[in-house]
mmCIF file with all atom_site columns, all heavy atoms in Angstrom:
data_model
loop_
_atom_site.group_PDB
_atom_site.id
_atom_site.type_symbol
_atom_site.label_atom_id
_atom_site.label_alt_id
_atom_site.label_comp_id
_atom_site.label_asym_id
_atom_site.label_entity_id
_atom_site.label_seq_id
_atom_site.pdbx_PDB_ins_code
_atom_site.Cartn_x
_atom_site.Cartn_y
_atom_site.Cartn_z
_atom_site.occupancy
_atom_site.B_iso_or_equiv
_atom_site.pdbx_formal_charge
_atom_site.auth_seq_id
_atom_site.auth_comp_id
_atom_site.auth_asym_id
_atom_site.auth_atom_id
_atom_site.pdbx_PDB_model_num
ATOM 1   N N   . ASN A 1 98  ? 6.534   5.883  -2.215  1.00 94.00 ? 319 ASN A N   1
ATOM 2   C CA  . ASN A 1 98  ? 5.324   5.878  -3.028  1.00 94.00 ? 319 ASN A CA  1
ATOM 3   C C   . ASN A 1 98  ? 5.646   5.995  -4.515  1.00 94.00 ? 319 ASN A C   1
ATOM 4   O O   . ASN A 1 98  ? 6.300   6.942  -4.947  1.00 94.00 ? 319 ASN A O   1
ATOM 5   C CB  . ASN A 1 98  ? 4.411   7.032  -2.594  1.00 94.00 ? 319 ASN A CB  1
ATOM 6   C CG  . ASN A 1 98  ? 2.983   6.824  -3.010  1.00 94.00 ? 319 ASN A CG  1
ATOM 7   O OD1 . ASN A 1 98  ? 2.685   6.695  -4.180  1.00 94.00 ? 319 ASN A OD1 1
ATOM 8   N ND2 . ASN A 1 98  ? 2.073   6.797  -2.031  1.00 94.00 ? 319 ASN A ND2 1
ATOM 9   N N   . THR A 1 99  ? 5.161   5.050  -5.320  1.00 92.00 ? 320 THR A N   1
ATOM 10  C CA  . THR A 1 99  ? 5.448   5.041  -6.750  1.00 92.00 ? 320 THR A CA  1
ATOM 11  C C   . THR A 1 99  ? 4.760   6.167  -7.511  1.00 92.00 ? 320 THR A C   1
ATOM 12  O O   . THR A 1 99  ? 5.167   6.500  -8.627  1.00 92.00 ? 320 THR A O   1
ATOM 13  C CB  . THR A 1 99  ? 5.004   3.710  -7.378  1.00 92.00 ? 320 THR A CB  1
ATOM 14  O OG1 . THR A 1 99  ? 3.623   3.469  -7.072  1.00 92.00 ? 320 THR A OG1 1
ATOM 15  C CG2 . THR A 1 99  ? 5.832   2.551  -6.838  1.00 92.00 ? 320 THR A CG2 1
ATOM 16  N N   . THR A 1 100 ? 3.718   6.748  -6.942  1.00 92.00 ? 321 THR A N   1
ATOM 17  C CA  . THR A 1 100 ? 3.030   7.831  -7.634  1.00 92.00 ? 321 THR A CA  1
ATOM 18  C C   . THR A 1 100 ? 3.881   9.089  -7.693  1.00 92.00 ? 321 THR A C   1
ATOM 19  O O   . THR A 1 100 ? 3.779   9.870  -8.637  1.00 92.00 ? 321 THR A O   1
ATOM 20  C CB  . THR A 1 100 ? 1.689   8.139  -6.936  1.00 92.00 ? 321 THR A CB  1
ATOM 21  O OG1 . THR A 1 100 ? 0.886   6.952  -6.918  1.00 92.00 ? 321 THR A OG1 1
ATOM 22  C CG2 . THR A 1 100 ? 0.923   9.235  -7.643  1.00 92.00 ? 321 THR A CG2 1
ATOM 23  N N   . LEU A 1 101 ? 4.746   9.275  -6.711  1.00 92.00 ? 322 LEU A N   1
ATOM 24  C CA  . LEU A 1 101 ? 5.585   10.462 -6.660  1.00 92.00 ? 322 LEU A CA  1
ATOM 25  C C   . LEU A 1 101 ? 6.823   10.288 -7.537  1.00 92.00 ? 322 LEU A C   1
ATOM 26  O O   . LEU A 1 101 ? 7.208   9.171  -7.881  1.00 92.00 ? 322 LEU A O   1
ATOM 27  C CB  . LEU A 1 101 ? 5.968   10.758 -5.215  1.00 92.00 ? 322 LEU A CB  1
ATOM 28  C CG  . LEU A 1 101 ? 4.765   11.055 -4.309  1.00 92.00 ? 322 LEU A CG  1
ATOM 29  C CD1 . LEU A 1 101 ? 5.179   11.069 -2.856  1.00 92.00 ? 322 LEU A CD1 1
ATOM 30  C CD2 . LEU A 1 101 ? 4.118   12.376 -4.687  1.00 92.00 ? 322 LEU A CD2 1
ATOM 31  N N   . SER A 1 102 ? 7.449   11.389 -7.847  1.00 89.00 ? 323 SER A N   1
ATOM 32  C CA  . SER A 1 102 ? 8.558   11.366 -8.804  1.00 89.00 ? 323 SER A CA  1
ATOM 33  C C   . SER A 1 102 ? 9.778   10.644 -8.240  1.00 89.00 ? 323 SER A C   1
ATOM 34  O O   . SER A 1 102 ? 9.966   10.547 -7.025  1.00 89.00 ? 323 SER A O   1
ATOM 35  C CB  . SER A 1 102 ? 8.951   12.798 -9.178  1.00 89.00 ? 323 SER A CB  1
ATOM 36  O OG  . SER A 1 102 ? 9.547   13.448 -8.062  1.00 89.00 ? 323 SER A OG  1
ATOM 37  N N   . ASN A 1 106 ? 11.457  10.729 -4.308  1.00 92.00 ? 327 ASN A N   1
ATOM 38  C CA  . ASN A 1 106 ? 11.819  9.542  -3.533  1.00 92.00 ? 327 ASN A CA  1
ATOM 39  C C   . ASN A 1 106 ? 13.316  9.491  -3.257  1.00 92.00 ? 327 ASN A C   1
ATOM 40  O O   . ASN A 1 106 ? 13.739  9.088  -2.167  1.00 92.00 ? 327 ASN A O   1
ATOM 41  C CB  . ASN A 1 106 ? 11.357  8.282  -4.261  1.00 92.00 ? 327 ASN A CB  1
ATOM 42  C CG  . ASN A 1 106 ? 9.858   8.059  -4.143  1.00 92.00 ? 327 ASN A CG  1
ATOM 43  O OD1 . ASN A 1 106 ? 9.296   8.088  -3.052  1.00 92.00 ? 327 ASN A OD1 1
ATOM 44  N ND2 . ASN A 1 106 ? 9.191   7.844  -5.265  1.00 92.00 ? 327 ASN A ND2 1
ATOM 45  N N   . TYR A 1 126 ? 8.572   0.043  -2.222  1.00 91.00 ? 347 TYR A N   1
ATOM 46  C CA  . TYR A 1 126 ? 8.171   1.023  -3.217  1.00 91.00 ? 347 TYR A CA  1
ATOM 47  C C   . TYR A 1 126 ? 6.839   0.584  -3.801  1.00 91.00 ? 347 TYR A C   1
ATOM 48  O O   . TYR A 1 126 ? 6.779   -0.390 -4.549  1.00 91.00 ? 347 TYR A O   1
ATOM 49  C CB  . TYR A 1 126 ? 9.270   1.059  -4.285  1.00 91.00 ? 347 TYR A CB  1
ATOM 50  C CG  . TYR A 1 126 ? 9.312   2.255  -5.190  1.00 91.00 ? 347 TYR A CG  1
ATOM 51  C CD1 . TYR A 1 126 ? 9.267   3.544  -4.675  1.00 91.00 ? 347 TYR A CD1 1
ATOM 52  C CD2 . TYR A 1 126 ? 9.446   2.091  -6.561  1.00 91.00 ? 347 TYR A CD2 1
ATOM 53  C CE1 . TYR A 1 126 ? 9.345   4.637  -5.518  1.00 91.00 ? 347 TYR A CE1 1
ATOM 54  C CE2 . TYR A 1 126 ? 9.528   3.170  -7.415  1.00 91.00 ? 347 TYR A CE2 1
ATOM 55  C CZ  . TYR A 1 126 ? 9.471   4.444  -6.885  1.00 91.00 ? 347 TYR A CZ  1
ATOM 56  O OH  . TYR A 1 126 ? 9.551   5.539  -7.731  1.00 91.00 ? 347 TYR A OH  1
ATOM 57  N N   . ALA A 1 127 ? 5.733   1.255  -3.443  1.00 92.00 ? 348 ALA A N   1
ATOM 58  C CA  . ALA A 1 127 ? 4.414   0.831  -3.907  1.00 92.00 ? 348 ALA A CA  1
ATOM 59  C C   . ALA A 1 127 ? 3.454   2.014  -3.867  1.00 92.00 ? 348 ALA A C   1
ATOM 60  O O   . ALA A 1 127 ? 3.830   3.134  -3.492  1.00 92.00 ? 348 ALA A O   1
ATOM 61  C CB  . ALA A 1 127 ? 3.889   -0.314 -3.034  1.00 92.00 ? 348 ALA A CB  1
ATOM 62  N N   . GLU A 1 128 ? 2.203   1.770  -4.264  1.00 92.00 ? 349 GLU A N   1
ATOM 63  C CA  . GLU A 1 128 ? 1.191   2.819  -4.252  1.00 92.00 ? 349 GLU A CA  1
ATOM 64  C C   . GLU A 1 128 ? 0.588   2.972  -2.853  1.00 92.00 ? 349 GLU A C   1
ATOM 65  O O   . GLU A 1 128 ? 0.832   2.178  -1.956  1.00 92.00 ? 349 GLU A O   1
ATOM 66  C CB  . GLU A 1 128 ? 0.091   2.499  -5.268  1.00 92.00 ? 349 GLU A CB  1
ATOM 67  C CG  . GLU A 1 128 ? 0.611   2.454  -6.703  1.00 92.00 ? 349 GLU A CG  1
ATOM 68  C CD  . GLU A 1 128 ? -0.500  2.220  -7.707  1.00 92.00 ? 349 GLU A CD  1
ATOM 69  O OE1 . GLU A 1 128 ? -1.593  2.805  -7.526  1.00 92.00 ? 349 GLU A OE1 1
ATOM 70  O OE2 . GLU A 1 128 ? -0.285  1.462  -8.668  1.00 92.00 ? 349 GLU A OE2 1
ATOM 71  N N   . SER A 1 129 ? -0.229  3.989  -2.694  1.00 92.00 ? 350 SER A N   1
ATOM 72  C CA  . SER A 1 129 ? -0.737  4.354  -1.370  1.00 92.00 ? 350 SER A CA  1
ATOM 73  C C   . SER A 1 129 ? -1.524  3.239  -0.698  1.00 92.00 ? 350 SER A C   1
ATOM 74  O O   . SER A 1 129 ? -1.365  2.990  0.495   1.00 92.00 ? 350 SER A O   1
ATOM 75  C CB  . SER A 1 129 ? -1.630  5.604  -1.471  1.00 92.00 ? 350 SER A CB  1
ATOM 76  O OG  . SER A 1 129 ? -0.844  6.759  -1.630  1.00 92.00 ? 350 SER A OG  1
ATOM 77  N N   . ILE A 1 147 ? -0.906  9.250  -0.013  1.00 94.00 ? 368 ILE A N   1
ATOM 78  C CA  . ILE A 1 147 ? -1.556  10.342 -0.733  1.00 94.00 ? 368 ILE A CA  1
ATOM 79  C C   . ILE A 1 147 ? -2.987  10.470 -0.230  1.00 94.00 ? 368 ILE A C   1
ATOM 80  O O   . ILE A 1 147 ? -3.666  9.457  -0.010  1.00 94.00 ? 368 ILE A O   1
ATOM 81  C CB  . ILE A 1 147 ? -1.539  10.077 -2.245  1.00 94.00 ? 368 ILE A CB  1
ATOM 82  C CG1 . ILE A 1 147 ? -0.099  10.064 -2.763  1.00 94.00 ? 368 ILE A CG1 1
ATOM 83  C CG2 . ILE A 1 147 ? -2.351  11.119 -3.002  1.00 94.00 ? 368 ILE A CG2 1
ATOM 84  C CD1 . ILE A 1 147 ? 0.036   9.556  -4.171  1.00 94.00 ? 368 ILE A CD1 1
ATOM 85  N N   . VAL A 1 164 ? -0.070  15.890 -5.232  1.00 94.00 ? 385 VAL A N   1
ATOM 86  C CA  . VAL A 1 164 ? -0.271  15.103 -6.444  1.00 94.00 ? 385 VAL A CA  1
ATOM 87  C C   . VAL A 1 164 ? -1.432  15.730 -7.213  1.00 94.00 ? 385 VAL A C   1
ATOM 88  O O   . VAL A 1 164 ? -2.527  15.895 -6.672  1.00 94.00 ? 385 VAL A O   1
ATOM 89  C CB  . VAL A 1 164 ? -0.580  13.633 -6.112  1.00 94.00 ? 385 VAL A CB  1
ATOM 90  C CG1 . VAL A 1 164 ? -0.986  12.871 -7.373  1.00 94.00 ? 385 VAL A CG1 1
ATOM 91  C CG2 . VAL A 1 164 ? 0.630   12.967 -5.474  1.00 94.00 ? 385 VAL A CG2 1
ATOM 92  N N   . TYR A 1 195 ? -7.881  8.590  -4.906  1.00 93.00 ? 416 TYR A N   1
ATOM 93  C CA  . TYR A 1 195 ? -8.474  9.381  -5.984  1.00 93.00 ? 416 TYR A CA  1
ATOM 94  C C   . TYR A 1 195 ? -10.002 9.361  -5.978  1.00 93.00 ? 416 TYR A C   1
ATOM 95  O O   . TYR A 1 195 ? -10.629 9.947  -6.862  1.00 93.00 ? 416 TYR A O   1
ATOM 96  C CB  . TYR A 1 195 ? -7.994  8.871  -7.343  1.00 93.00 ? 416 TYR A CB  1
ATOM 97  C CG  . TYR A 1 195 ? -6.503  8.985  -7.595  1.00 93.00 ? 416 TYR A CG  1
ATOM 98  C CD1 . TYR A 1 195 ? -5.924  8.356  -8.687  1.00 93.00 ? 416 TYR A CD1 1
ATOM 99  C CD2 . TYR A 1 195 ? -5.675  9.714  -6.741  1.00 93.00 ? 416 TYR A CD2 1
ATOM 100 C CE1 . TYR A 1 195 ? -4.556  8.452  -8.933  1.00 93.00 ? 416 TYR A CE1 1
ATOM 101 C CE2 . TYR A 1 195 ? -4.322  9.813  -6.968  1.00 93.00 ? 416 TYR A CE2 1
ATOM 102 C CZ  . TYR A 1 195 ? -3.758  9.175  -8.065  1.00 93.00 ? 416 TYR A CZ  1
ATOM 103 O OH  . TYR A 1 195 ? -2.413  9.278  -8.301  1.00 93.00 ? 416 TYR A OH  1
ATOM 104 N N   . GLU A 1 222 ? -3.373  2.934  -9.364  1.00 92.00 ? 443 GLU A N   1
ATOM 105 C CA  . GLU A 1 222 ? -3.146  3.772  -10.532 1.00 92.00 ? 443 GLU A CA  1
ATOM 106 C C   . GLU A 1 222 ? -2.569  2.952  -11.681 1.00 92.00 ? 443 GLU A C   1
ATOM 107 O O   . GLU A 1 222 ? -2.907  3.171  -12.846 1.00 92.00 ? 443 GLU A O   1
ATOM 108 C CB  . GLU A 1 222 ? -2.192  4.925  -10.185 1.00 92.00 ? 443 GLU A CB  1
ATOM 109 C CG  . GLU A 1 222 ? -1.967  5.868  -11.354 1.00 92.00 ? 443 GLU A CG  1
ATOM 110 C CD  . GLU A 1 222 ? -1.183  7.101  -10.959 1.00 92.00 ? 443 GLU A CD  1
ATOM 111 O OE1 . GLU A 1 222 ? 0.044   6.980  -10.761 1.00 92.00 ? 443 GLU A OE1 1
ATOM 112 O OE2 . GLU A 1 222 ? -1.789  8.181  -10.846 1.00 92.00 ? 443 GLU A OE2 1
ATOM 113 N N   . SER A 1 239 ? -2.682  10.533 -11.889 1.00 94.00 ? 460 SER A N   1
ATOM 114 C CA  . SER A 1 239 ? -1.894  11.738 -11.692 1.00 94.00 ? 460 SER A CA  1
ATOM 115 C C   . SER A 1 239 ? -1.534  12.331 -13.051 1.00 94.00 ? 460 SER A C   1
ATOM 116 O O   . SER A 1 239 ? -1.428  11.610 -14.053 1.00 94.00 ? 460 SER A O   1
ATOM 117 C CB  . SER A 1 239 ? -0.620  11.422 -10.899 1.00 94.00 ? 460 SER A CB  1
ATOM 118 O OG  . SER A 1 239 ? 0.233   10.569 -11.653 1.00 94.00 ? 460 SER A OG  1
ATOM 119 N N   . GLU A 1 241 ? 1.261   13.494 -14.020 1.00 92.00 ? 462 GLU A N   1
ATOM 120 C CA  . GLU A 1 241 ? 2.555   12.969 -14.454 1.00 92.00 ? 462 GLU A CA  1
ATOM 121 C C   . GLU A 1 241 ? 2.392   11.600 -15.110 1.00 92.00 ? 462 GLU A C   1
ATOM 122 O O   . GLU A 1 241 ? 3.004   11.309 -16.141 1.00 92.00 ? 462 GLU A O   1
ATOM 123 C CB  . GLU A 1 241 ? 3.512   12.873 -13.265 1.00 92.00 ? 462 GLU A CB  1
ATOM 124 C CG  . GLU A 1 241 ? 4.893   12.370 -13.633 1.00 92.00 ? 462 GLU A CG  1
ATOM 125 C CD  . GLU A 1 241 ? 5.828   12.345 -12.442 1.00 92.00 ? 462 GLU A CD  1
ATOM 126 O OE1 . GLU A 1 241 ? 5.601   13.115 -11.481 1.00 92.00 ? 462 GLU A OE1 1
ATOM 127 O OE2 . GLU A 1 241 ? 6.798   11.559 -12.473 1.00 92.00 ? 462 GLU A OE2 1
ATOM 128 N N   . ALA A 1 242 ? 1.547   10.734 -14.512 1.00 93.00 ? 463 ALA A N   1
ATOM 129 C CA  . ALA A 1 242 ? 1.334   9.406  -15.080 1.00 93.00 ? 463 ALA A CA  1
ATOM 130 C C   . ALA A 1 242 ? 0.625   9.488  -16.427 1.00 93.00 ? 463 ALA A C   1
ATOM 131 O O   . ALA A 1 242 ? 0.944   8.748  -17.364 1.00 93.00 ? 463 ALA A O   1
ATOM 132 C CB  . ALA A 1 242 ? 0.528   8.545  -14.109 1.00 93.00 ? 463 ALA A CB  1
ATOM 133 N N   . ARG A 1 245 ? 3.180   10.690 -18.952 1.00 91.00 ? 466 ARG A N   1
ATOM 134 C CA  . ARG A 1 245 ? 4.194   9.654  -19.185 1.00 91.00 ? 466 ARG A CA  1
ATOM 135 C C   . ARG A 1 245 ? 3.664   8.535  -20.074 1.00 91.00 ? 466 ARG A C   1
ATOM 136 O O   . ARG A 1 245 ? 4.421   7.910  -20.826 1.00 91.00 ? 466 ARG A O   1
ATOM 137 C CB  . ARG A 1 245 ? 4.647   9.090  -17.832 1.00 91.00 ? 466 ARG A CB  1
ATOM 138 C CG  . ARG A 1 245 ? 5.803   8.125  -17.922 1.00 91.00 ? 466 ARG A CG  1
ATOM 139 C CD  . ARG A 1 245 ? 6.323   7.767  -16.531 1.00 91.00 ? 466 ARG A CD  1
ATOM 140 N NE  . ARG A 1 245 ? 5.352   7.069  -15.711 1.00 91.00 ? 466 ARG A NE  1
ATOM 141 C CZ  . ARG A 1 245 ? 4.788   7.573  -14.629 1.00 91.00 ? 466 ARG A CZ  1
ATOM 142 N NH1 . ARG A 1 245 ? 5.086   8.790  -14.207 1.00 91.00 ? 466 ARG A NH1 1
ATOM 143 N NH2 . ARG A 1 245 ? 3.916   6.857  -13.935 1.00 91.00 ? 466 ARG A NH2 1
ATOM 144 N N   . GLU A 1 299 ? -0.262  5.242  -6.143  1.00 32.00 ? 520 GLU A N   1
ATOM 145 C CA  . GLU A 1 299 ? -0.322  4.700  -5.477  1.00 32.00 ? 520 GLU A CA  1
ATOM 146 C C   . GLU A 1 299 ? 0.189   3.864  -6.515  1.00 32.00 ? 520 GLU A C   1
ATOM 147 O O   . GLU A 1 299 ? -0.231  4.147  -7.509  1.00 32.00 ? 520 GLU A O   1
ATOM 148 C CB  . GLU A 1 299 ? -1.362  4.441  -4.703  1.00 32.00 ? 520 GLU A CB  1
ATOM 149 C CG  . GLU A 1 299 ? -0.991  3.361  -3.998  1.00 32.00 ? 520 GLU A CG  1
ATOM 150 C CD  . GLU A 1 299 ? -1.769  2.940  -3.256  1.00 32.00 ? 520 GLU A CD  1
ATOM 151 O OE1 . GLU A 1 299 ? -2.285  2.885  -3.144  1.00 32.00 ? 520 GLU A OE1 1
ATOM 152 O OE2 . GLU A 1 299 ? -2.072  2.888  -2.823  1.00 32.00 ? 520 GLU A OE2 1
#
Side-chain angles (χ1 to χ4, degrees):
N319 200 301
T320 54
T321 302
L322 298 169
S323 69
N327 284 309
Y347 198 49
E349 297 183 40
S350 284
I368 296 169
V385 172
Y416 297 169
E443 183 172 75
S460 65
E462 182 178 335
R466 187 172 63 248
E520 169 181 28

